[in-house]
Amino acid sequence: MVDNNGGLNFVHPIYFADHLRKAAAIDENHKYKNKAITLYGYHKPSDGSIVSKKIVYAKDNPGFMPDGQFSWTQWFNEKPYSSDYRHEGVDMAVAAALSGTVPIKALIRGKVVWSHDYLNDHYGRCIIIQANQKYKGLYRYYLLAHLERKDSIPEVNSIIVPNQIVGYIGNTGHCVSHWQWDNTDKKLKRVEKAITIKNEHHTDSRKHGAGAHLHLQLFLSSKDQDKFSVHLNEHLRDEFKLDEFKVYNPFAYSEPYILNKD
């Protein structure tokens, strides 16, 4: 480092990195690197059977994480419930009473390249953020979905820095929940089989926070944002078709999305 007199001073690399981190100049990867993650009620991708408990590890920077209490409800590549497709991201759910109160914080530097609101369908209110740093020469794009609607989110072209709040976990879009609003007792009641909160169905359940979760999804691509945004709506409205923008596990970049259905 250069002092005020133009001289060079030696600075320990760890000390220097800590200062860069505090200045939000580098990605925050140390918080989740190799951290054990416990999943309950996990659905095996191979046959859809349920495993009571599964341990996985965060091998790579997930980009964004809730800053508060949450539960893992769907993991990458698993078969959610009785669906005929595999899950393209990870879901982090909050209690109904916490819907709209748990902030989502950035672990990376990046830029918002796309924003949309599908209302009570599909991903609901969602944004995509492109990371500044590439991974093995590939661009990283993070999709954050089901965001709370009452709170503001960064606009397109906004710069994102580590520890910045980019939104709150909500229940917009197509959600799944084990809670349903009972209009007689005027409270949410747990149901044995999860209900689908889609379109305008179960509006009372949605209004009271049922189904609130963050869907986090990672795209890796050699293409820059301009080309990415052109095809984005087509991808989000239909089944996975894109070859240029492949989906990977946000906690382990080497694990790709399984395209074939069974």
Side-chain angles (χ1 to χ4, degrees):
M1 295 183 69
V2 181
D3 61 24
N4 292 333
N5 297 319
L8 293 175
N9 293 323
F10 173 77
V11 178
H12 194 283
I14 296 178
Y15 176 83
F16 183 57
D18 284 342
H19 274 270
L20 289 175
R21 190 171 289 116
K22 290 176 182 177
I26 59 175
D27 288 359
E28 284 277 5
N29 195 30
H30 65 289
K31 292 182 180 179
Y32 295 94
K33 184 74 172 179
N34 294 321
K35 181 179 179 181
I37 301 168
T38 303
L39 309 175
Y40 296 94
Y42 176 77
H43 294 244
K44 290 176 64 177
S46 58
D47 57 13
S49 60
I50 298 177
V51 178
S52 59
K53 185 169 72 171
K54 177 181 174 67
I55 305 288
V56 297
Y57 291 89
K59 298 179 181 178
D60 294 294
N61 191 335
F64 301 86
M65 288 291 287
D67 188 26
Q69 184 179 356
F70 69 92
S71 300
W72 301 93
T73 52
Q74 289 189 47
W75 192 245
F76 182 73
N77 262 335
E78 78 180 43
K79 284 184 170 181
Y81 307 101
S82 59
S83 300
D84 61 352
Y85 75 98
R86 300 179 190 276
H87 196 233
E88 295 179 350
V90 294
D91 283 353
M92 292 164 265
V94 300
L98 297 178
S99 179
T101 69
V102 177
I104 303 163
K105 284 192 172 182
L107 303 176
I108 62 166
R109 288 183 62 84
K111 184 173 75 171
V112 179
V113 296
W114 186 81
S115 176
H116 192 70
D117 193 339
Y118 290 104
L119 302 178
N120 287 341
D121 195 11
H122 209 52
Y123 286 125
R125 193 184 197 194
C126 51
I127 57 175
I128 286 186
I129 298 173
Q130 178 183 354
N132 277 11
Q133 296 181 14
K134 292 182 180 181
Y135 170 75
K136 294 184 177 180
L138 299 174
Y139 293 98
R140 291 181 290 161
Y141 299 91
Y142 294 91
L143 166 66
L144 287 70
H146 308 299
L147 302 178
E148 172 62 40
R149 189 170 287 117
K150 69 182 180 181
D151 296 296
S152 61
I153 59 176
E155 296 180 352
V156 172
N157 294 323
S158 297
I159 301 303
I160 304 300
V161 298
N163 291 315
Q164 177 180 341
I165 294 176
V166 296
Y168 289 79
I169 294 181
N171 63 351
T172 59
H174 181 177
C175 299
V176 176
S177 176
H178 276 283
W179 295 89
Q180 187 168 16
W181 177 254
D182 188 307
N183 205 39
T184 301
D185 294 339
K186 303 297 181 183
K187 66 179 181 180
L188 285 167
K189 288 188 174 180
R190 185 171 179 85
V191 293
E192 182 176 349
K193 184 177 181 181
I195 60 172
T196 297
I197 303 178
K198 186 176 182 180
N199 299 324
E200 298 302 324
H201 300 306
H202 307 292
T203 51
D204 286 336
S205 298
R206 185 191 298 278
K207 188 192 310 179
H208 291 86
H213 70 280
L214 167 67
H215 174 90
L216 177 65
Q217 185 170 321
L218 170 68
F219 296 88
L220 293 179
S221 176
S222 60
K223 305 295 183 181
D224 204 350
Q225 63 189 46
D226 293 337
K227 183 108 174 282
F228 183 82
S229 60
V230 169
H231 299 288
L232 193 56
N233 271 314
E234 178 185 354
H235 166 72
L236 294 182
R237 297 301 303 186
D238 302 316
E239 64 180 274
F240 184 77
K241 297 177 180 177
L242 299 180
D243 293 325
E244 296 177 340
F245 303 92
K246 295 186 182 297
V247 175
Y248 287 83
N249 186 341
F251 289 85
Y253 296 173
S254 61
E255 182 183 354
Y257 179 65
I258 300 175
L259 291 172
N260 60 303
K261 298 180 180 182
D262 51 28

